[in-house]
Amino acid sequence: MAGLETYKTPEKLKSFLQELLSQKELPTHKGKIARSLIEKTYGFQHCSLSNYHGFDKYQWCKSVVDDFEKDLIAKEGGNITGVNSEYGTPKRFEKLLDKLKCDIDSLPIAPQGDRAGRISFRAFERKFKFPSNSLVGKTESWQWARDMLNKFDEELYEQGITGTVWERKVPAIRKYLEELDNNQKLPINERGKLNRKSVMSEFGLAANQSTSVAETRAPKLKELFKEYDELISQQDYSQYAGDKYKDTLSEILEHKELVLDSSSRVISLKWLAQELDIEKNTIRTSPNLMKLIEKRTHKLHQTQQRGLTKKSFTVYGAATLNVGPTPYSEKHGRVYSFSSLIELYSLELAEKVGTTFIAITNKAATGSVKNKYLRILHFFEWLADPKNIDRDVADSLRDNKKIKQADFGRACMAYRAALLIKSPNANLNTLIITQFGDAKVLPKYTFLTRGRANKDRSHRQSILEASIKKGELDRVEEILTDAAKYRGIEISQGKDTKAFLETLMFEKLNKPDLPDDLSKAMLEITESRLLEIRIQASAFFKQWQNLHKEGVELLNLATVDCDEFRSMLAKRQSISAYQWSLYIKDIFPIDNKQLALANLLKVIKTVYKACPPNLATTNMQMWNKKYQLFGGIERVASYLVPTRKAISSALTLYLCESGANVAVALTLPNDCVRKSGVAQHKKIVGKKDRSFGKPIYDDLSVKSDNVECVSAVNALEYICSAQPETVDDTLQYYQKGAVQPLTEFAFRDEFKAICNHSDYLTQFKLVPSMLRPTVLLNVQLKDPANLGVAQLIAQHESGSTTEGYTNKLPHRIQMEKDMLEFQQTIEVVMIYDDEDAHEKLNMTQKKWNEKKQKFEKTGWGVFCKDREIVTESGEKVKCGEVENCVKCKHDRMLVSADPISISDMIIWKTALEKNETEFTAKNMNRWTDVWVPWQAFFTVVLEEKMTRGKLSHIKKQATEIANQKMSGSDFTMPEPW
């Protein structure tokens, strides 16, 4: 211990203190030299340096230490707590800060948080080796340093040297705003405040960046904008650039001749913009300018609604206010100008026509008024032209004289003829002229109208009649036309003839080995097209099915706790963004995509009922980012629920197998597949809404008849099993953020896409509605004489409804072929009492008379040549199976085209139609075997054969006879048995 024994003089003690200072070991406490600590450490007597007890012998010690301390404080500029640190005194710290002003890049800046962009005090403390917690704690002895650093930080912040990106731009933004303010050009938004977007765009704000986010991160910028909001509210600022032209615009509207647009009701903004030398949009965006224009427009309309010649005109026998030659229709929202009639006739007539036209068209639909206006204006202009007709009518109109009915009728006929010469097939729209006659403004004249062609609404196209696309169609039509010309044949334009022939020619060109028989060829084409549709639909269905099965496997791999996810989601706003981010990274790990997808699917299925959430439904951008990792939201959804194409594919398979209506397919419930009483089949249950919810049942095979095809039962069953939970029980799919049922338009689009995927089918214009007629026609072609099967499949109550689907060219040709076979195997007497019948049948008169004596009427409108037949045992018996004459195995049926026989046919045809529903309900098989062939036979004879020439006359007589018989009081309608 040295102490006073060593440092016993003032000089030695001062030298000792100086040595401690130079070695950075001078003890300090609360900004002063720590005397007690020096005494204890270096062996000085207790209280000797502080002379706490006031001893005379230690007074010099105290004076030396006090003077040294005083000089040191003066030298260091104040608190000497950190005198042993490099920058631990105010003087030294100030020099450091001055140095840092010139070297801002050396400043430690906070990267994030509330002080982002400003000095990080803790980093500053570490970098410049200040004692721990000296700059960030609450130690009183270092308060001076914290104050200096805070002041330094604030100075830099205010100068725009530190702070966030936008905070550093504040000085420049302020200067920019001051310049705009001086020039009265501050950008103002619709709320009358400073337009932040406009200002910040000048300083690099991206178009997709939010101004509010930037303001939140830059409080100084927010304060600046608030300051200018208050400035704007205190001064007479307008947010619209055009407002400064108010006075000039008022002068223009008040004193200049107005220029109107094409409607003659609106002041031209283009003209006003040219007058003001500004853009049209500047006028549109200024409510004050538009208010001036609206006020002047209202005044304009008031003047337009008043005629000048008379107060009113008589229309429909009542006084009607004169609305002038350019009247405005309140109902139709536009001006109808008849001002061209002023020069041709007179102002009074132009006003009268305008007034009448408004009175007439106030009751008309908006869509038809334009054509009415153009027609009546053209009519008056046509009458005034002497090149068209003499001016008698026009002069009478001009002079307000009565027009002769004959002259007006002649003018109207000439006008109609002129229109037809110019456009023979156009709609003449002459009703408006007649309506002027009804209004008693013109003489009454009713124009002749052409009847409309009746469209066969019962005809439903099959895929055999699908239009061939342009390139192939031209080639087929050229071949078909050349062949027809070569053979002197005229191709019928009626019904479906041309469409079927085009299909046949097209297929023949591409497949020369088609059968020569038309019906067989069409049957082969039908089956090949239906099969190709099923193959393509199956391919698309399998594609989704594989994806969905993969989704099921992924769900089993999921590890996410959905209850925990719900809980975290509920308190997301109350926890920190960091906590939420960690949780999301944990359940959707970036380094394990399979698990991330599995957990994502589990959350969607459990929490969101299989409907993938998105930004619009949850206000969370997270979802879209996750979907992008796995191919997008539509693909993620397809792991859980059917896609639109998958449902469309399944319904296409159903329509191809069942022949059901498209409307039935679209309303199938999600439990449409039921058990069936037929082995290896299942029942598909639907309903037909337009038949008051009539149930539709189809027993379809579980197994497909082709290895490339999925059966409709399996497809629908799988679709039903993948349905999400919804209130609606129809089949649903996911698209564009919602689970929704399939619409007819969407199904049609997907069906076309499915067909266009095939090189073969893409050549045709196919739509889903063609499948039902195709399936029913296919059935009919396999058994042409039997309508019952097709009717049973179609579930029609009446056979006539089924014929709309099946009575097509191939079927008609097959029936014609059957009739030709009848003509070859059965002698048909076209006219029973024809004197030359024997010559037509190539036999003698005597032989013909012998044959006639053997004929027996069957009661069906046909004759049997010989009722005596030989049985298999050789016995001769009289045939009693008259109901089977139409399918006679002995070739003895004879059709006689006499009125009495044909009347019997008509009666039996009526009887079968009446009893069909009741009979088929009891015994469908017998109806199909016995009575359907008669129906087909009667249809061919009565509706195909007996429609022209003398045969049609006989049919007319027969119809009268049949009606007379059936109206008799003692008549009993025959019944099938």
Side-chain angles (χ1 to χ4, degrees):
M1 291 285 183
L4 288 177
E5 294 177 3
T6 305
Y7 309 110
K8 51 189 175 182
T9 65
E11 289 78 11
K12 288 183 179 182
L13 181 58
K14 184 177 181 181
S15 177
F16 170 67
L17 294 173
Q18 188 65 46
E19 185 181 354
L20 289 177
L21 178 64
S22 62
Q23 292 177 359
K24 299 182 180 179
E25 292 179 355
L26 181 65
T28 61
H29 179 63
K30 292 186 179 181
K32 294 184 178 183
I33 295 173
R35 292 161 173 79
S36 299
L37 188 57
I38 293 174
E39 290 169 352
K40 184 178 180 180
T41 305
Y42 297 103
F44 286 90
Q45 280 79 2
H46 181 61
C47 293
S48 59
L49 299 182
S50 62
N51 195 18
Y52 181 75
H53 299 291
F55 297 133
D56 292 337
K57 62 178 181 178
Y58 296 134
Q59 185 60 40
W60 68 271
C61 298
K62 180 179 183 303
S63 298
V64 170
V65 176
D66 287 348
D67 290 343
F68 186 84
E69 182 181 70
K70 183 178 179 182
D71 292 342
L72 186 59
I73 289 173
K75 180 183 175 183
E76 297 297 340
N79 194 302
I80 59 170
T81 299
V83 72
N84 295 320
S85 299
E86 184 178 0
Y87 307 109
T89 64
K91 211 80 167 179
R92 299 179 200 172
F93 197 33
E94 188 175 0
K95 286 182 180 179
L96 172 63
L97 297 181
D98 289 341
K99 180 182 175 182
L100 290 175
K101 281 183 183 178
C102 303
D103 187 14
I104 296 299
D105 293 338
S106 298
L107 278 172
I109 302 298
Q112 59 188 7
D114 296 339
R115 291 184 54 80
R118 301 183 70 169
I119 297 173
S120 170
F121 283 23
R122 187 173 292 282
F124 193 97
E125 185 182 84
R126 288 196 300 269
K127 181 170 183 176
F128 297 106
K129 299 178 181 178
F130 281 84
S132 180
N133 294 324
S134 59
L135 300 182
V136 295
K138 296 183 179 180
T139 308
E140 185 180 346
S141 56
W142 285 96
Q143 185 61 45
W144 63 270
R146 289 195 292 274
D147 292 343
M148 288 181 70
L149 189 56
N150 272 321
K151 182 181 178 183
F152 179 68
D153 183 45
E154 286 298 327
E155 287 176 0
L156 295 181
Y157 180 66
E158 289 300 324
Q159 293 170 17
I161 297 173
T162 60
T164 61
V165 173
W166 283 105
E167 285 177 324
R168 294 199 296 272
K169 292 180 181 181
V170 166
I173 295 175
R174 178 179 289 279
K175 185 176 179 181
Y176 173 71
L177 291 174
E178 286 172 354
E179 290 177 4
L180 292 178
D181 185 26
N182 292 334
N183 296 320
Q184 290 288 304
K185 290 185 177 180
L186 283 174
I188 315 298
N189 63 22
E190 65 277 4
R191 294 180 298 168
K193 294 187 176 183
L194 183 69
N195 189 324
R196 273 95 164 137
K197 192 82 172 178
S198 175
V199 173
M200 295 175 71
S201 297
E202 294 292 326
F203 291 87
L205 180 75
N208 61 348
Q209 192 173 345
S210 169
T211 59
S212 60
V213 172
E215 285 186 66
T216 303
R217 295 174 179 174
K220 188 163 63 170
L221 179 65
K222 190 173 185 178
E223 285 298 318
L224 176 63
F225 286 159
K226 187 176 179 182
E227 177 186 332
Y228 270 86
D229 283 343
E230 292 175 1
L231 177 68
I232 289 165
S233 65
Q234 293 167 5
Q235 298 183 21
D236 187 22
Y237 263 105
S238 170
Q239 61 266 45
Y240 305 104
D243 282 0
K244 61 185 177 182
Y245 300 99
K246 281 195 296 184
D247 296 338
T248 311
L249 180 63
S250 296
E251 287 291 321
I252 293 171
L253 294 174
E254 193 65 34
H255 299 105
K256 287 200 175 187
E257 184 179 351
L258 299 179
V259 176
L260 307 180
D261 69 1
S262 58
S263 71
S264 301
R265 290 279 292 179
V266 179
I267 299 171
S268 171
L269 287 185
K270 182 179 179 181
W271 168 68
L272 288 175
Q274 289 172 348
E275 291 290 320
L276 295 170
D277 194 23
I278 57 176
E279 296 293 327
K280 284 195 296 183
N281 198 47
T282 306
I283 300 176
R284 284 199 190 97
T285 55
S286 171
N288 292 321
L289 297 189
M290 291 305 295
K291 190 174 181 181
L292 290 173
I293 296 170
E294 286 171 10
K295 185 177 179 181
R296 183 66 183 88
T297 302
H298 180 69
K299 187 176 178 181
L300 171 69
H301 290 173
Q302 287 180 328
T303 59
Q304 284 182 332
Q305 290 174 353
R306 294 193 294 269
L308 301 175
T309 59
K310 288 186 175 182
K311 186 176 180 180
S312 63
F313 294 106
T314 301
V315 181
Y316 290 112
T320 304
L321 187 66
N322 180 0
V323 294
T326 56
Y328 174 74
S329 172
E330 293 287 348
K331 179 177 180 181
H332 305 298
R334 62 158 291 176
V335 168
Y336 297 96
S337 176
F338 295 94
S339 55
S340 62
L341 303 183
I342 297 174
E343 186 177 345
L344 295 174
Y345 297 93
S346 64
L347 175 60
E348 182 179 342
L349 180 76
E351 290 180 346
K352 188 174 185 179
V353 171
T355 302
T356 305
F357 181 79
I358 294 299
I360 291 171
T361 56
N362 274 342
K363 300 176 183 177
T366 301
S368 65
V369 174
K370 182 179 178 181
N371 291 331
K372 289 177 182 288
Y373 163 67
L374 295 174
R375 176 58 65 227
I376 194 65
L377 181 62
H378 181 262
F379 176 65
F380 279 107
E381 291 174 345
W382 184 88
L383 284 176
D385 190 346
K387 294 178 183 177
N388 298 323
I389 196 170
D390 59 65
R391 283 190 54 92
D392 290 348
V393 174
D395 290 344
S396 298
L397 286 169
R398 183 192 61 208
D399 300 335
N400 202 16
K401 293 180 180 178
K402 185 176 180 180
I403 305 169
K404 294 181 181 179
Q405 181 68 48
D407 290 343
F408 187 73
R410 182 168 55 84
C412 289
M413 285 188 286
Y415 181 63
R416 180 177 184 273
L419 293 178
L420 289 173
I421 290 171
K422 187 175 180 180
S423 304
N425 298 318
N427 184 359
L428 301 184
N429 289 315
T430 52
L431 177 62
I432 185 63
I433 302 173
T434 304
Q435 289 175 320
F436 264 69
D438 293 335
K440 299 181 181 180
V441 174
L442 293 174
K444 180 69 180 289
Y445 182 83
T446 303
F447 288 83
L448 292 175
T449 56
R450 290 171 293 179
R452 292 183 180 178
N454 291 324
K455 184 179 179 181
D456 186 2
R457 295 185 179 275
S458 66
H459 181 75
R460 296 166 176 86
Q461 279 194 326
S462 67
I463 58 175
L464 285 174
E465 301 153 83
S467 302
I468 303 168
K469 291 183 179 176
K470 184 65 179 170
E472 294 293 338
L473 180 60
D474 292 342
R475 185 164 65 104
V476 171
E477 283 189 341
E478 184 179 349
I479 295 171
L480 187 60
T481 305
D482 290 346
K485 286 180 180 177
Y486 177 75
R487 292 169 175 78
I489 300 170
E490 181 180 351
I491 299 174
S492 168
Q493 298 299 316
K495 275 195 173 181
D496 49 10
T497 306
K498 187 177 179 182
F500 276 107
L501 290 178
E502 284 176 351
T503 296
L504 183 62
M505 290 298 297
F506 176 81
E507 295 290 349
K508 274 282 188 182
L509 288 172
N510 295 288
K511 192 177 180 183
D513 59 342
L514 269 178
D516 293 330
D517 183 278
L518 178 68
S519 297
K520 291 180 180 178
M522 288 300 180
L523 180 60
E524 186 174 322
I525 295 168
T526 301
E527 291 185 337
S528 67
R529 290 188 180 181
L530 278 175
L531 178 60
E532 182 65 16
I533 292 173
R534 289 171 61 205
I535 289 172
Q536 295 304 323
S538 297
F540 281 108
F541 176 78
K542 288 176 186 175
Q543 186 178 348
W544 167 77
Q545 188 181 38
N546 292 335
L547 206 60
H548 185 267
K549 287 180 178 178
E550 184 182 343
V552 173
E553 293 174 2
L554 286 168
L555 287 172
N556 293 328
L557 300 176
T559 58
V560 63
D561 184 340
C562 290
D563 291 333
E564 182 186 8
F565 183 86
R566 283 194 186 94
S567 174
M568 289 293 289
L569 196 63
K571 60 183 181 181
R572 187 171 72 91
Q573 300 298 333
S574 60
I575 63 176
S576 69
Y578 179 69
Q579 282 181 284
W580 173 254
S581 177
L582 283 179
Y583 177 70
I584 292 301
K585 285 179 182 178
D586 183 49
I587 62 172
F588 303 133
I590 299 173
D591 57 346
N592 189 342
K593 276 199 168 186
Q594 186 184 47
L595 181 59
L597 178 57
N599 285 343
L600 179 63
L601 296 178
K602 185 69 177 287
V603 167
I604 295 172
K605 183 175 177 66
T606 307
V607 179
Y608 296 98
K609 297 183 178 179
C611 181
N614 54 32
L615 176 62
T617 57
T618 64
N619 198 28
M620 294 170 63
Q621 292 184 346
M622 172 190 78
W623 298 115
N624 293 342
K625 291 178 181 178
K626 298 301 177 190
Y627 299 143
Q628 287 171 9
L629 297 174
F630 307 108
I633 189 170
E634 302 287 345
R635 183 173 177 82
V636 171
S638 62
Y639 285 105
L640 298 172
V641 294
T643 60
R644 193 171 88 169
K645 194 174 290 293
I647 289 187
S648 299
S649 300
L651 295 185
T652 299
L653 293 169
Y654 167 63
L655 293 176
C656 287
E657 291 188 30
S658 68
N661 279 302
V662 173
V664 173
L666 292 174
T667 55
L668 285 177
N670 51 26
D671 61 345
C672 59
V673 183
R674 314 274 178 85
K675 290 183 179 179
S676 170
V678 182
Q680 298 298 314
H681 284 64
K682 286 195 176 181
K683 194 184 297 292
I684 308 298
V685 181
K687 62 179 180 178
K688 192 173 182 180
D689 286 338
R690 68 169 182 259
S691 296
F692 307 102
K694 170 187 172 182
I696 302 295
Y697 303 97
D698 291 291
D699 286 294
L700 302 181
S701 174
V702 174
K703 293 183 178 179
S704 172
D705 58 358
N706 188 287
V707 292
E708 293 185 72
C709 299
V710 178
S711 72
V713 168
N714 288 336
L716 286 173
E717 202 163 30
Y718 196 90
I719 287 285
C720 291
S721 69
Q723 285 295 294
E725 297 178 26
T726 58
V727 178
D728 193 342
D729 67 345
T730 55
L731 298 179
Q732 308 273 315
Y733 68 95
Y734 177 86
Q735 192 174 51
K736 294 183 179 178
V739 173
Q740 53 194 300
L742 190 66
T743 64
E744 184 177 354
F745 299 107
F747 180 40
R748 187 183 304 163
D749 287 343
E750 292 296 349
F751 178 81
K752 289 179 180 178
I754 290 169
C755 293
N756 288 337
H757 200 260
S758 163
D759 293 337
Y760 172 54
L761 297 176
T762 193
Q763 302 171 99
F764 315 111
K765 297 176 182 177
L766 301 172
V767 290
S769 59
M770 291 179 173
L771 294 178
R772 179 173 172 81
T774 304
V775 173
L776 298 182
L777 175 62
N778 197 39
V779 171
Q780 194 66 52
L781 288 176
K782 290 178 180 177
D783 189 1
N786 190 348
L787 183 65
V789 178
Q791 184 180 342
L792 183 64
I793 291 174
Q795 301 184 41
H796 287 150
E797 294 181 0
S798 170
S800 61
T801 307
T802 311
E803 285 181 6
Y805 294 90
T806 62
N807 190 24
K808 299 180 183 296
L809 182 67
H811 177 236
R812 295 199 303 272
I813 287 178
Q814 182 63 43
M815 295 302 291
E816 293 278 3
K817 182 180 175 183
D818 290 345
M819 286 305 299
L820 286 173
E821 289 178 1
F822 285 146
Q823 290 172 346
Q824 292 169 2
T825 57
I826 304 172
E827 294 175 2
V828 181
V829 181
M830 299 308 296
I831 303 172
Y832 186 75
D833 56 355
D834 188 351
E835 295 179 358
D836 300 324
H838 62 286
E839 294 178 2
K840 294 176 181 178
L841 294 173
N842 196 22
M843 61 179 67
T844 62
Q845 181 72 49
K846 181 178 179 183
K847 191 173 181 180
W848 170 239
N849 291 335
E850 289 174 356
K851 279 186 173 288
K852 281 208 299 184
Q853 290 175 2
K854 290 184 179 181
F855 296 162
E856 284 190 44
K857 284 191 175 184
T858 64
W860 294 87
V862 296
F863 288 81
C864 181
K865 290 187 290 184
D866 190 352
R867 292 283 293 276
E868 190 175 273
I869 59 174
V870 180
T871 65
E872 293 179 359
S873 61
E875 184 182 358
K876 290 185 178 181
V877 296
K878 201 167 187 178
C879 175
E881 298 180 6
V882 291
E883 72 273 20
N884 292 321
C885 283
V886 74
K887 300 188 293 182
C888 182
K889 298 175 182 178
H890 305 286
D891 300 335
R892 298 185 182 186
M893 189 179 77
L894 180 73
V895 179
S896 174
D898 64 278
I900 300 297
S901 298
I902 299 303
S903 71
D904 289 340
M905 281 192 190
I906 293 171
I907 290 171
W908 263 106
K909 184 173 184 292
T910 306
L912 291 177
E913 289 174 353
K914 276 190 171 185
N915 289 277
E916 181 177 5
T917 303
E918 184 179 350
F919 197 103
T920 53
K922 296 177 182 177
N923 194 342
M924 173 59 81
N925 290 336
R926 179 164 177 80
W927 182 267
T928 302
D929 293 339
V930 177
W931 306 116
V932 168
W934 278 108
Q935 283 185 306
F937 177 73
F938 291 150
T939 299
V940 172
V941 173
L942 296 174
E943 296 180 15
E944 298 282 343
K945 292 296 184 183
M946 304 192 69
T947 56
R948 296 180 296 276
K950 193 169 183 179
L951 290 177
S952 66
H953 179 66
I954 292 173
K955 180 183 174 182
K956 185 177 180 181
Q957 289 179 314
T959 303
E960 292 175 357
I961 294 171
N963 290 337
Q964 188 176 354
K965 285 181 181 178
M966 289 187 287
S967 63
S969 58
D970 57 346
F971 175 78
T972 302
M973 181 69 76
E975 294 183 4
W977 62 91

